[in-house]
Amino acid sequence: MSDSYSLMIHGGSGCLEDLKYEAGEDEFRHSIHVILEKGRQRLARGDRALDVVEYCVTLLENDPLYNAGRGSVLNAKGQVEMDAALMNGADLRAGAVACISQVKNPIALARHVLAHGQNVLLMGEGALEFAKLCELELCHEDYFITQARIEQLKAAKAAGRITLDHERISPSEKLGTVGAVARDRHGDLAAATSTGGLVNNHWGRVGDTPIIGAGVFADNESCAVSATGYGEEFLRTVLAKTIAMFVQWRGMDVETAAKAGIEYLVNRVQGEGGVIVIDGAGHCASAQSTTGLICGWIEHGSEAHCTLG
Ligand code: ASP
């Protein structure tokens, strides 16, 4: 098997058709390229896929452009509640956290859950207590809550809607959930996803992101998948695992499997969202049913690419 590496990251799905006319496009392109190149440095020197997807998602969480970590959207009570998960394709170890606040990098907490090994998913107060035990950095809510997010919540409430971060109920919305998938030089796969959820969602709501097989999945025998979109629809279709099954048991290449997964999402539950996928040979693919998917990739160590629509 080739010792080349591949990396894909996404910054969420949603309605971005007007983005090309706005100043924000360059910011997204720049951010995606910088993060891809940082990830490339680590994969090129032989770092493990699991470490690199955690690293890339940490960088995405720290960038307020995206709906994860620092830029998380607000729930109906005006609070930040975050979900994150990651999975190692070599041995199916996984770690996830749901409905957490204060933790600067939810993906780092998910990694600690994975490393600890006793549990796969921790939530709420228990997860926060575990974060303190792990001595992870905690932040005051001011770190997470930006004026733009307060305005976005007001607009969603005024429209009586629960929305994806990118949905255009007001012109300022062009941000999203984040994820990364990688194939390292040892031939291993990993996937990670992190989110602040949906704008104006019910407090205590958990989406697809921290649910293994729905918003994230990795198995060396099939592929690594990270999803973004309306979580309830990804939960009902167990979409990440469904795509992996298409690869493993129906023998589809990743491009066909990603498209077939999104078709299934649309046909069965009229789902809205997108996925990024890498298989064991390092082939990259993405598909979406929304107008836009912010996404970047490096296939087999080649030049970095980025799409915003
Ligand atoms: N999938 C996320 C959720 O439902 C939202 C997103 O991808 O933007 O929580």
Side-chain angles (χ1 to χ4, degrees):
M1 187 175 282
S2 125
D3 76 343
S4 76
Y5 57 84
S6 296
L7 174 66
M8 292 191 90
I9 60 175
H10 73 76
S13 61
C15 178
L16 293 183
E17 70 255 32
D18 297 332
L19 187 59
K20 55 182 173 297
Y21 304 112
E22 296 176 6
E25 181 179 352
D26 288 345
E27 267 174 280
F28 277 102
R29 230 176 251 293
H30 177 73
S31 163
I32 292 288
H33 275 283
V34 167
I35 294 169
L36 277 176
E37 291 305 332
K38 287 186 172 178
R40 178 206 294 280
Q41 279 174 14
R42 298 210 32 189
L43 284 167
R45 73 179 191 207
D47 282 11
R48 295 285 174 180
L50 184 66
D51 294 325
V52 176
V53 293
E54 180 193 348
Y55 174 64
C56 290
V57 168
T58 300
L59 296 174
L60 289 157
E61 285 177 344
N62 291 345
D63 189 334
L65 276 177
Y66 306 100
N67 170 21
R70 181 150 192 219
S72 290
V73 301
L74 305 181
N75 69 15
K77 274 190 171 179
Q79 301 161 330
V80 166
E81 285 180 326
M82 301 170 287
D83 301 333
L86 77 182
M87 186 164 188
N88 192 37
D91 53 14
L92 306 191
R93 280 183 304 146
V97 291
C99 256
I100 56 160
S101 54
Q102 296 182 52
V103 177
K104 184 180 179 200
N105 290 112
I107 199 68
L109 183 54
R111 179 65 189 268
H112 276 274
V113 174
L114 179 152
H116 193 248
Q118 198 175 343
N119 307 109
V120 169
L121 172 61
L122 289 181
M123 64 169 286
E125 288 294 308
L128 183 58
E129 190 181 286
F130 184 63
K132 288 176 185 163
L133 275 175
C134 297
E135 298 181 353
L136 288 184
E137 188 173 348
L138 303 182
C139 295
H140 188 266
E141 65 171 22
D142 293 350
Y143 169 80
F144 301 99
I145 301 181
T146 62
Q147 195 53 37
R149 292 311 194 193
I150 294 169
E151 298 303 327
Q152 184 186 41
L153 176 62
K154 270 191 207 153
K157 278 184 182 290
R161 296 184 53 196
I162 296 169
T163 68
L164 286 178
D165 187 20
H166 290 302
E167 256 179 307
R168 184 166 286 279
I169 43 174
S170 83
S172 61
E173 292 154 7
K174 50 184 179 341
L175 319 169
T177 285
V178 305
V181 290
R183 190 260 193 201
D184 65 29
R185 300 186 71 172
H186 314 277
D188 290 326
L189 297 174
T193 313
S194 179
T195 190
L198 300 175
V199 184
N200 197 25
N201 65 215
H202 199 287
W203 55 97
R205 174 260 186 193
V206 175
D208 60 315
T209 299
I211 305 303
I212 305 304
V216 66
F217 188 73
D219 183 348
N220 281 4
E221 295 186 5
S222 52
C223 57
V225 183
S226 172
T228 167
Y230 277 99
E232 283 68 12
E233 296 150 1
F234 284 77
L235 283 165
R236 288 201 289 264
T237 51
V238 200
L239 202 77
K241 175 68 178 176
T242 298
I243 290 171
M245 284 165 63
F246 286 160
V247 170
Q248 190 172 1
W249 292 329
R250 291 213 181 150
M252 291 183 191
D253 59 66
V254 271
E255 204 173 323
T256 311
K259 279 194 191 131
I262 292 295
E263 269 171 34
Y264 176 67
L265 178 79
V266 171
N267 293 340
R268 295 297 291 145
V269 296
Q270 295 78 53
E272 291 176 61
V275 290
I276 55 173
V277 190
I278 294 184
D279 69 12
H283 298 119
C284 298
S286 66
Q288 83 251 20
S289 60
T290 42
T291 328
L293 175 68
I294 296 178
C295 163
W297 67 97
I298 293 169
E299 192 170 44
H300 299 133
S302 66
E303 143 193 28
H305 299 274
C306 170
T307 59
L308 301 179

